[in-house]
Amino acid sequence: AQSVSQHNHHVILSEAASLELGCNYSYGGTVNLFWYVQYPGQHLQLLLKYFSGDPLVKGIKGFEAEFIKSKFSFNLRKPSVQWSDTAEYFCAESGGSYIPTFGRGTSLIVHP
Amino acid sequence: DTAVSQTPKYLVTQMGNDKSIKCEQNLGHDTMYWYKQDSKKFLKIMFSYNNKELIINETVPNRFSPKSPDKAHLNLHINSLELGDSAVYFCASSQENGRNTGELFFGEGSRLTVL
């Protein structure tokens, strides 16, 4: 069965700090990879996605993620976080079935 | 216009009751989903449905049933509610017809509290 692991469950940073959230997936075939963000009290929104091509993907609000096939990883990065980035971040993959499997999420708190 | 809309947003009910949550999407997508988000924020797929196929997560109790009157709607009906059903339920949709990549568009969620 497909699975997605997010190793950081809770991350606390100060504003302007750099961010990297880990994501590893298990599906061995061609995958589509996603990061979704859920701001407090809101629904999930797509942050960025990888389907094919350049493994370095740029998303909204200064986020980027790098697909490293050999490591089955798709880590999310942002060079300088803001207080407004406080949210839950979910990594997801859709392999052969196209039904997305989500990781357990990472709670990010950014102190002003 | 909200692309994926769910009603109600909040639902408080007693154990043993039967309830429904409605979902509508105006994106023209062919596939709709129900996810359950528990108190630890874990998102678990419950159902995936298009006009060809219903895929059920086998761990979902048969008290839960999806009902789709047309491809723009996928309602979730729950019989004999239990305390453990308390969660936020998210509806989502995605494209199909050879272009499905798994990118989801989510509704705002329906918070169910069972007392």
Side-chain angles (χ1 to χ4, degrees), chain A residues 24-102:
Chain A
N24 289 93
Y25 62 93
S26 65
Y27 185 67
T30 301
V31 290
N32 299 317
L33 294 160
F34 310 87
W35 276 96
Y36 287 85
V37 60
Q38 185 179 25
Y39 296 106
Q42 296 188 27
H43 64 291
L44 280 83
Q45 306 168 45
L46 185 68
L47 203 53
L48 49 78
K49 59 190 178 188
Y50 171 81
F51 294 159
S52 63
D54 188 344
L56 185 61
V57 179
K58 295 196 182 298
I60 61 172
K61 303 186 180 184
F63 286 91
E64 65 178 31
E66 185 175 12
F67 169 55
I68 303 180
K69 187 175 181 179
S70 61
K71 295 184 178 180
F72 291 79
S73 71
F74 190 57
N75 292 354
L76 181 71
R77 300 194 291 250
K78 185 170 183 177
S80 176
V81 293
Q82 300 173 311
W83 175 78
S84 58
D85 293 325
T86 294
E88 292 279 336
Y89 291 83
F90 294 90
C91 183
E93 66 93 358
S94 63
S97 71
Y98 296 119
I99 298 176
T101 299
F102 284 80

Coordinates of all heavy atoms in Angstrom, one line a residue, chain A residues 24-102:
Chain A
N24 N 8.6 11.8 2.7 CA 9.0 10.6 2.0 C 7.8 9.8 1.6 O 6.9 9.6 2.3 CB 10.0 9.7 2.8 CG 11.3 10.4 3.0 OD1 11.6 11.1 4.0 ND2 12.2 10.2 2.0
Y25 N 7.9 9.2 0.4 CA 6.7 8.4 -0.1 C 7.3 7.0 -0.4 O 8.5 6.8 -0.6 CB 6.1 9.0 -1.3 CG 7.0 9.2 -2.5 CD1 7.1 8.2 -3.5 CD2 7.9 10.2 -2.6 CE1 8.0 8.2 -4.5 CE2 8.8 10.3 -3.7 CZ 8.8 9.3 -4.6 OH 9.7 9.4 -5.7
S26 N 6.3 6.1 -0.6 CA 6.7 4.7 -0.8 C 6.5 4.1 -2.2 O 7.1 3.1 -2.6 CB 6.0 3.8 0.2 OG 4.6 3.8 0.0
Y27 N 5.6 4.7 -2.9 CA 5.2 4.2 -4.2 C 6.4 4.1 -5.2 O 7.1 5.1 -5.4 CB 4.1 5.0 -4.8 CG 3.5 4.4 -6.1 CD1 2.8 3.1 -6.1 CD2 3.6 5.0 -7.3 CE1 2.3 2.6 -7.2 CE2 3.1 4.5 -8.5 CZ 2.5 3.3 -8.4 OH 2.0 2.7 -9.6
G28 N 6.7 3.0 -5.8 CA 7.8 2.8 -6.6 C 7.7 3.2 -8.0 O 8.7 3.2 -8.8
G29 N 6.5 3.5 -8.5 CA 6.2 3.8 -9.9 C 6.2 5.3 -10.1 O 6.7 6.1 -9.2
T30 N 5.7 5.7 -11.2 CA 5.6 7.2 -11.5 C 4.6 7.8 -10.5 O 3.5 7.3 -10.3 CB 5.1 7.4 -12.9 OG1 6.0 6.8 -13.8 CG2 5.0 8.9 -13.2
V31 N 5.0 8.9 -9.9 CA 4.2 9.5 -8.9 C 3.9 11.0 -9.2 O 4.7 11.6 -9.9 CB 4.8 9.5 -7.4 CG1 4.8 8.1 -6.9 CG2 6.2 10.1 -7.4
N32 N 2.8 11.5 -8.7 CA 2.6 12.9 -8.7 C 2.6 13.3 -7.2 O 2.1 12.6 -6.3 CB 1.2 13.2 -9.2 CG 1.1 12.8 -10.7 OD1 2.0 13.1 -11.5 ND2 -0.1 12.2 -11.0
L33 N 3.3 14.4 -6.9 CA 3.5 14.8 -5.5 C 3.0 16.2 -5.3 O 3.0 17.1 -6.1 CB 5.0 14.8 -5.2 CG 5.6 13.4 -5.3 CD1 7.1 13.4 -5.5 CD2 5.3 12.6 -4.1
F34 N 2.5 16.4 -4.1 CA 1.8 17.6 -3.7 C 2.2 18.1 -2.3 O 2.5 17.2 -1.4 CB 0.3 17.4 -3.7 CG -0.2 16.8 -5.0 CD1 -0.3 15.4 -5.1 CD2 -0.7 17.6 -6.0 CE1 -0.8 14.8 -6.3 CE2 -1.2 17.0 -7.2 CZ -1.2 15.6 -7.3
W35 N 2.2 19.4 -2.1 CA 2.1 19.9 -0.7 C 0.9 20.8 -0.6 O 0.6 21.6 -1.5 CB 3.4 20.8 -0.4 CG 4.5 20.0 0.0 CD1 5.6 19.5 -0.7 CD2 4.8 19.5 1.4 NE1 6.5 18.8 0.1 CE2 6.0 18.8 1.4 CE3 4.1 19.7 2.6 CZ2 6.6 18.3 2.5 CZ3 4.7 19.1 3.7 CH2 5.9 18.4 3.7
Y36 N 0.1 20.5 0.4 CA -1.1 21.3 0.7 C -0.9 22.0 2.0 O -0.2 21.5 2.9 CB -2.3 20.4 0.8 CG -2.9 19.8 -0.5 CD1 -2.3 18.6 -1.0 CD2 -3.9 20.4 -1.2 CE1 -2.8 18.1 -2.2 CE2 -4.4 19.9 -2.4 CZ -3.8 18.7 -2.8 OH -4.3 18.2 -4.0
V37 N -1.5 23.2 2.2 CA -1.5 23.9 3.4 C -2.9 24.1 3.9 O -3.8 24.3 3.2 CB -0.8 25.3 3.2 CG1 -1.5 26.2 2.1 CG2 -0.6 26.1 4.5
Q38 N -3.0 24.0 5.2 CA -4.3 24.2 5.9 C -4.1 25.3 7.0 O -3.5 25.0 8.0 CB -4.8 22.9 6.5 CG -6.2 23.1 7.1 CD -6.7 21.8 7.7 OE1 -5.9 20.9 8.1 NE2 -8.0 21.6 7.8
Y39 N -4.5 26.5 6.7 CA -4.4 27.6 7.7 C -5.5 27.4 8.7 O -6.5 26.7 8.5 CB -4.6 28.9 7.0 CG -3.5 29.3 6.0 CD1 -3.8 29.2 4.6 CD2 -2.2 29.6 6.4 CE1 -2.7 29.4 3.7 CE2 -1.2 29.8 5.5 CZ -1.5 29.7 4.2 OH -0.5 30.0 3.3
P40 N -5.3 27.9 9.9 CA -6.2 27.6 11.1 C -7.7 27.8 10.7 O -8.0 28.9 10.2 CB -5.7 28.6 12.1 CG -4.3 28.8 11.8 CD -4.2 28.7 10.3
G41 N -8.5 26.8 10.9 CA -9.9 26.9 10.6 C -10.3 26.9 9.2 O -11.5 27.1 8.9
Q42 N -9.4 26.6 8.3 CA -9.7 26.7 6.9 C -9.5 25.3 6.2 O -9.1 24.3 6.8 CB -8.8 27.7 6.1 CG -9.1 29.1 6.6 CD -8.3 30.1 5.7 OE1 -8.0 29.9 4.6 NE2 -8.0 31.3 6.3
H43 N -9.9 25.2 4.9 CA -9.7 24.0 4.2 C -8.3 23.9 3.6 O -7.6 24.8 3.6 CB -10.8 23.9 3.1 CG -10.6 25.0 2.0 ND1 -10.9 26.3 2.3 CD2 -10.2 24.9 0.7 CE1 -10.7 27.0 1.2 NE2 -10.3 26.1 0.2
L44 N -8.0 22.7 3.1 CA -6.7 22.5 2.5 C -6.6 23.2 1.1 O -7.6 23.2 0.3 CB -6.4 21.0 2.2 CG -6.0 20.3 3.5 CD1 -7.1 19.8 4.3 CD2 -5.2 19.0 3.0
Q45 N -5.5 23.8 0.9 CA -5.2 24.5 -0.4 C -3.9 24.0 -1.0 O -3.0 23.7 -0.2 CB -5.1 26.0 -0.2 CG -6.3 26.7 0.5 CD -5.9 28.1 1.0 OE1 -5.4 28.9 0.2 NE2 -6.3 28.4 2.2
L46 N -3.8 23.9 -2.3 CA -2.6 23.4 -2.9 C -1.5 24.5 -2.8 O -1.7 25.7 -3.1 CB -2.9 23.1 -4.4 CG -1.7 22.5 -5.1 CD1 -1.4 21.1 -4.6 CD2 -2.0 22.5 -6.6
L47 N -0.4 24.1 -2.4 CA 0.8 25.0 -2.2 C 1.7 24.8 -3.5 O 2.1 25.8 -4.0 CB 1.6 24.6 -1.0 CG 2.5 25.5 -0.3 CD1 1.8 26.8 0.0 CD2 3.0 24.9 1.0
L48 N 1.9 23.6 -3.8 CA 2.7 23.3 -5.0 C 2.5 21.8 -5.4 O 2.1 21.0 -4.6 CB 4.2 23.7 -4.9 CG 4.9 23.2 -3.6 CD1 5.3 21.7 -3.8 CD2 6.2 24.0 -3.4
K49 N 3.0 21.5 -6.7 CA 2.8 20.2 -7.1 C 3.9 19.8 -8.1 O 4.5 20.7 -8.7 CB 1.5 20.0 -7.9 CG 1.3 21.0 -9.1 CD -0.1 21.0 -9.6 CE -0.2 22.0 -10.8 NZ -1.6 22.1 -11.2
Y50 N 4.2 18.5 -8.2 CA 5.2 18.0 -9.1 C 4.6 16.9 -9.9 O 4.0 15.9 -9.3 CB 6.5 17.4 -8.4 CG 7.4 16.7 -9.3 CD1 8.2 17.4 -10.2 CD2 7.3 15.3 -9.4 CE1 9.1 16.7 -11.1 CE2 8.1 14.7 -10.3 CZ 9.0 15.4 -11.1 OH 9.8 14.7 -12.0
F51 N 4.6 17.0 -11.2 CA 4.1 15.9 -12.1 C 5.3 15.3 -12.9 O 5.4 14.1 -13.0 CB 3.0 16.5 -13.1 CG 1.8 16.9 -12.4 CD1 0.9 17.8 -13.1 CD2 1.4 16.5 -11.1 CE1 -0.3 18.2 -12.5 CE2 0.3 16.9 -10.5 CZ -0.6 17.8 -11.2
S52 N 6.1 16.2 -13.5 CA 7.2 15.7 -14.2 C 8.1 16.9 -14.5 O 7.8 18.0 -14.2 CB 6.8 15.0 -15.5 OG 6.2 16.0 -16.4
G53 N 9.3 16.7 -15.1 CA 10.2 17.8 -15.5 C 11.1 18.2 -14.4 O 11.6 17.4 -13.7
D54 N 11.3 19.5 -14.3 CA 12.3 20.0 -13.4 C 11.9 19.6 -12.0 O 10.8 19.8 -11.5 CB 12.2 21.6 -13.4 CG 13.3 22.2 -12.6 OD1 13.9 21.6 -11.8 OD2 13.6 23.4 -12.9
P55 N 12.9 18.9 -11.3 CA 12.5 18.4 -9.9 C 12.4 19.4 -8.9 O 11.9 19.2 -7.8 CB 13.7 17.4 -9.7 CG 14.8 17.9 -10.5 CD 14.2 18.5 -11.7
L56 N 12.9 20.7 -9.2 CA 12.7 21.8 -8.2 C 11.5 22.5 -8.6 O 11.4 23.1 -9.7 CB 13.9 22.7 -8.3 CG 14.0 23.8 -7.2 CD1 13.9 23.2 -5.8 CD2 15.2 24.7 -7.4
V57 N 10.5 22.5 -7.7 CA 9.2 23.1 -8.0 C 9.0 24.3 -7.2 O 9.2 24.3 -6.0 CB 8.1 22.0 -7.8 CG1 6.7 22.7 -8.0 CG2 8.3 20.8 -8.6
K58 N 8.5 25.3 -7.8 CA 8.2 26.6 -7.1 C 6.7 26.7 -6.9 O 6.0 26.5 -7.9 CB 8.8 27.8 -7.8 CG 10.4 27.7 -7.8 CD 11.0 29.1 -8.1 CE 12.5 28.9 -8.1 NZ 13.1 28.6 -6.8
G59 N 6.3 27.1 -5.7 CA 4.9 27.2 -5.5 C 4.5 28.7 -5.1 O 5.3 29.6 -5.3
I60 N 3.4 28.8 -4.4 CA 2.9 30.1 -4.0 C 3.6 30.5 -2.7 O 4.2 29.7 -2.0 CB 1.4 30.2 -3.8 CG1 1.0 29.1 -2.7 CG2 0.7 29.9 -5.1 CD1 -0.5 29.3 -2.3
K61 N 3.6 31.8 -2.4 CA 4.1 32.4 -1.2 C 5.6 32.1 -0.9 O 6.0 32.0 0.3 CB 3.2 31.9 0.0 CG 1.8 32.3 -0.2 CD 0.9 32.0 1.0 CE -0.5 32.4 0.7 NZ -1.4 32.2 1.8
G62 N 6.4 31.9 -1.9 CA 7.8 31.7 -1.7 C 8.2 30.3 -1.4 O 9.4 30.0 -1.1
F63 N 7.3 29.3 -1.4 CA 7.6 27.9 -1.1 C 8.2 27.2 -2.3 O 7.8 27.6 -3.5 CB 6.4 27.2 -0.6 CG 6.0 27.5 0.8 CD1 5.1 28.6 1.1 CD2 6.5 26.8 1.9 CE1 4.7 28.9 2.3 CE2 6.2 27.2 3.2 CZ 5.2 28.2 3.4
E64 N 9.0 26.3 -2.1 CA 9.5 25.4 -3.1 C 9.7 24.0 -2.6 O 9.8 23.8 -1.4 CB 10.9 25.9 -3.7 CG 12.0 25.9 -2.7 CD 13.3 26.4 -3.4 OE1 13.3 27.3 -4.3 OE2 14.4 25.9 -2.9
A65 N 9.8 23.0 -3.5 CA 10.0 21.7 -3.0 C 10.9 21.0 -4.1 O 10.9 21.3 -5.3 CB 8.7 20.9 -2.9
E66 N 11.7 20.0 -3.6 CA 12.6 19.3 -4.5 C 12.3 17.8 -4.5 O 12.2 17.2 -3.5 CB 14.0 19.5 -4.1 CG 15.0 18.9 -5.1 CD 16.5 19.2 -4.8 OE1 16.7 19.7 -3.6 OE2 17.3 18.9 -5.6
F67 N 12.0 17.3 -5.7 CA 11.8 15.9 -5.9 C 13.1 15.2 -6.1 O 13.9 15.5 -7.0 CB 10.9 15.7 -7.1 CG 10.7 14.3 -7.6 CD1 10.3 13.3 -6.7 CD2 11.0 13.9 -8.9 CE1 10.2 12.0 -7.1 CE2 10.9 12.6 -9.3 CZ 10.4 11.6 -8.5
I68 N 13.4 14.3 -5.2 CA 14.7 13.5 -5.3 C 14.2 12.0 -5.4 O 13.9 11.4 -4.4 CB 15.6 13.7 -4.1 CG1 16.0 15.1 -4.0 CG2 16.9 12.8 -4.4 CD1 16.9 15.5 -2.9
K69 N 14.2 11.5 -6.7 CA 13.6 10.2 -6.9 C 14.4 9.1 -6.2 O 13.8 8.2 -5.6 CB 13.6 9.9 -8.4 CG 12.9 8.6 -8.8 CD 12.9 8.5 -10.3 CE 12.1 7.2 -10.7 NZ 12.1 7.1 -12.2
S70 N 15.7 9.2 -6.1 CA 16.5 8.2 -5.5 C 16.3 8.1 -4.0 O 16.5 7.0 -3.4 CB 18.0 8.4 -5.7 OG 18.4 9.7 -5.2
K71 N 15.8 9.1 -3.4 CA 15.5 9.2 -2.0 C 14.0 9.1 -1.7 O 13.6 9.1 -0.5 CB 16.1 10.4 -1.3 CG 17.6 10.5 -1.4 CD 18.1 11.8 -0.6 CE 19.6 11.9 -0.6 NZ 20.1 13.1 0.1
F72 N 13.2 8.9 -2.7 CA 11.8 8.9 -2.5 C 11.3 10.1 -1.7 O 10.5 10.0 -0.8 CB 11.3 7.6 -1.9 CG 11.5 6.4 -2.8 CD1 12.7 5.8 -2.9 CD2 10.4 5.9 -3.4 CE1 12.8 4.7 -3.7 CE2 10.5 4.8 -4.3 CZ 11.7 4.2 -4.4
S73 N 11.9 11.3 -1.9 CA 11.6 12.4 -1.1 C 11.1 13.6 -1.9 O 11.3 13.7 -3.1 CB 12.9 12.8 -0.3 OG 13.8 13.4 -1.2
F74 N 10.4 14.4 -1.2 CA 9.8 15.7 -1.8 C 9.7 16.7 -0.6 O 8.6 17.0 -0.1 CB 8.4 15.3 -2.4 CG 7.8 16.5 -3.2 CD1 8.5 17.0 -4.3 CD2 6.6 17.0 -2.9 CE1 8.0 18.0 -5.1 CE2 6.0 18.0 -3.7 CZ 6.7 18.5 -4.8
N75 N 10.8 17.2 -0.2 CA 10.9 18.1 0.9 C 10.5 19.5 0.5 O 10.8 20.0 -0.5 CB 12.3 18.1 1.5 CG 12.7 16.8 2.2 OD1 11.8 15.9 2.3 ND2 13.9 16.7 2.6
L76 N 9.8 20.1 1.5 CA 9.3 21.5 1.3 C 10.3 22.5 1.9 O 10.7 22.3 3.1 CB 7.9 21.7 1.9 CG 7.2 23.0 1.8 CD1 6.8 23.3 0.4 CD2 6.0 23.1 2.7
R77 N 10.5 23.6 1.3 CA 11.5 24.6 1.8 C 10.9 26.0 1.6 O 10.2 26.3 0.7 CB 12.8 24.5 1.1 CG 13.5 23.1 1.3 CD 15.0 23.2 0.9 NE 15.1 23.4 -0.6 CZ 15.6 22.5 -1.4 NH1 15.9 21.3 -1.0 NH2 15.7 22.8 -2.7
K78 N 11.4 26.9 2.5 CA 11.1 28.3 2.4 C 12.3 29.0 3.1 O 12.6 28.7 4.2 CB 9.8 28.7 3.0 CG 9.5 30.2 2.7 CD 8.1 30.6 3.1 CE 7.8 32.0 2.8 NZ 6.4 32.4 3.1
P79 N 13.0 29.9 2.4 CA 14.2 30.5 2.9 C 13.9 31.4 4.2 O 14.8 31.5 5.0 CB 14.8 31.3 1.8 CG 13.7 31.4 0.8 CD 12.7 30.4 1.0
S80 N 12.7 32.0 4.2 CA 12.5 33.0 5.3 C 11.0 32.9 5.6 O 10.2 33.5 4.8 CB 12.9 34.4 4.9 OG 12.6 35.3 5.9
V81 N 10.6 32.3 6.7 CA 9.2 32.2 7.1 C 8.6 33.5 7.7 O 9.3 34.3 8.3 CB 8.9 31.0 8.0 CG1 9.3 29.7 7.3 CG2 9.7 31.1 9.3
Q82 N 7.3 33.6 7.6 CA 6.6 34.7 8.2 C 5.6 34.2 9.1 O 5.2 33.0 9.1 CB 5.9 35.5 7.1 CG 6.8 36.1 6.0 CD 6.1 36.7 4.9 OE1 5.2 36.1 4.3 NE2 6.4 37.9 4.5
W83 N 5.1 35.0 10.0 CA 4.1 34.7 11.0 C 2.9 34.1 10.3 O 2.3 33.1 10.8 CB 3.7 35.9 11.8 CG 2.6 35.6 12.8 CD1 2.6 35.0 14.0 CD2 1.2 36.0 12.6 NE1 1.4 35.0 14.6 CE2 0.5 35.6 13.7 CE3 0.5 36.7 11.6 CZ2 -0.9 35.8 13.9 CZ3 -0.8 36.9 11.7 CH2 -1.5 36.4 12.9
S84 N 2.5 34.6 9.1 CA 1.3 34.1 8.4 C 1.5 32.7 7.8 O 0.6 32.2 7.3 CB 1.0 35.1 7.3 OG 2.1 35.3 6.4
D85 N 2.7 32.2 7.9 CA 2.9 30.8 7.4 C 2.5 29.8 8.5 O 2.5 28.6 8.2 CB 4.4 30.6 7.1 CG 4.8 31.4 5.8 OD1 4.0 31.6 4.9 OD2 6.0 31.8 5.8
T86 N 2.1 30.2 9.6 CA 1.6 29.3 10.7 C 0.4 28.5 10.1 O -0.6 29.1 9.7 CB 1.2 30.1 11.9 OG1 2.4 30.7 12.5 CG2 0.5 29.2 12.9
A87 N 0.6 27.2 10.1 CA -0.5 26.4 9.5 C -0.1 24.9 9.6 O 1.0 24.6 10.1 CB -0.6 26.7 8.0
E88 N -0.9 24.0 9.1 CA -0.6 22.6 9.0 C -0.2 22.4 7.5 O -0.8 22.9 6.6 CB -1.9 21.7 9.2 CG -2.3 21.7 10.7 CD -1.6 20.8 11.6 OE1 -1.0 19.8 11.0 OE2 -1.6 21.0 12.8
Y89 N 0.8 21.6 7.3 CA 1.3 21.3 6.0 C 1.3 19.8 5.7 O 1.7 19.0 6.5 CB 2.8 21.8 5.8 CG 2.9 23.3 5.9 CD1 2.9 24.0 7.1 CD2 2.9 24.0 4.7 CE1 2.9 25.4 7.1 CE2 2.9 25.4 4.7 CZ 2.9 26.1 5.9 OH 2.9 27.5 5.9
F90 N 0.7 19.5 4.6 CA 0.4 18.1 4.3 C 1.1 17.7 3.0 O 0.9 18.4 2.0 CB -1.0 17.8 4.1 CG -1.8 17.9 5.4 CD1 -2.4 19.1 5.7 CD2 -2.0 16.8 6.2 CE1 -3.2 19.2 6.9 CE2 -2.7 16.9 7.4 CZ -3.3 18.1 7.7
C91 N 1.9 16.7 3.0 CA 2.5 16.1 1.8 C 1.6 15.0 1.3 O 0.9 14.3 2.1 CB 3.9 15.6 2.1 SG 4.8 14.9 0.7
A92 N 1.4 14.9 0.0 CA 0.6 13.9 -0.6 C 1.1 13.4 -1.9 O 1.9 14.1 -2.6 CB -0.9 14.4 -0.8
E93 N 0.8 12.1 -2.2 CA 1.2 11.5 -3.5 C 0.1 10.8 -4.1 O -0.8 10.2 -3.4 CB 2.5 10.7 -3.3 CG 2.3 9.4 -2.5 CD 1.9 8.2 -3.3 OE1 1.8 8.3 -4.6 OE2 1.7 7.1 -2.7
S94 N 0.0 10.8 -5.4 CA -0.9 10.0 -6.1 C -0.1 9.1 -7.1 O 0.5 9.7 -8.0 CB -2.0 10.8 -6.8 OG -1.4 11.6 -7.8
G95 N -0.2 7.8 -6.9 CA 0.6 7.0 -7.8 C -0.4 6.4 -8.9 O -1.2 7.1 -9.4
G96 N -0.4 5.1 -9.0 CA -1.1 4.5 -10.1 C -2.6 4.7 -9.9 O -3.3 4.7 -11.0
S97 N -3.2 4.8 -8.7 CA -4.6 4.9 -8.6 C -5.1 6.3 -8.7 O -6.3 6.5 -8.8 CB -5.0 4.3 -7.2 OG -4.6 5.2 -6.2
Y98 N -4.2 7.3 -8.6 CA -4.6 8.7 -8.6 C -5.5 9.1 -7.4 O -6.0 10.2 -7.4 CB -5.3 9.1 -9.9 CG -4.4 9.0 -11.1 CD1 -4.7 8.1 -12.2 CD2 -3.2 9.7 -11.2 CE1 -3.8 8.0 -13.3 CE2 -2.3 9.6 -12.3 CZ -2.7 8.7 -13.3 OH -1.8 8.6 -14.4
I99 N -5.6 8.2 -6.5 CA -6.3 8.6 -5.2 C -5.2 9.1 -4.3 O -4.4 8.3 -3.9 CB -7.1 7.5 -4.6 CG1 -8.2 7.1 -5.6 CG2 -7.7 7.9 -3.3 CD1 -9.0 5.9 -5.1
P100 N -5.2 10.4 -4.0 CA -4.1 10.9 -3.2 C -4.0 10.3 -1.8 O -5.0 10.2 -1.1 CB -4.4 12.4 -3.1 CG -5.2 12.6 -4.3 CD -6.1 11.4 -4.4
T101 N -2.8 9.9 -1.4 CA -2.5 9.5 0.0 C -1.8 10.6 0.7 O -0.8 11.1 0.2 CB -1.7 8.2 0.0 OG1 -2.4 7.2 -0.7 CG2 -1.3 7.8 1.4
F102 N -2.2 11.0 1.9 CA -1.7 12.1 2.6 C -0.8 11.6 3.7 O -1.0 10.6 4.4 CB -2.8 12.9 3.2 CG -3.5 13.8 2.2 CD1 -4.4 13.3 1.4 CD2 -3.1 15.2 2.1 CE1 -5.1 14.1 0.4 CE2 -3.7 16.0 1.2 CZ -4.7 15.4 0.3

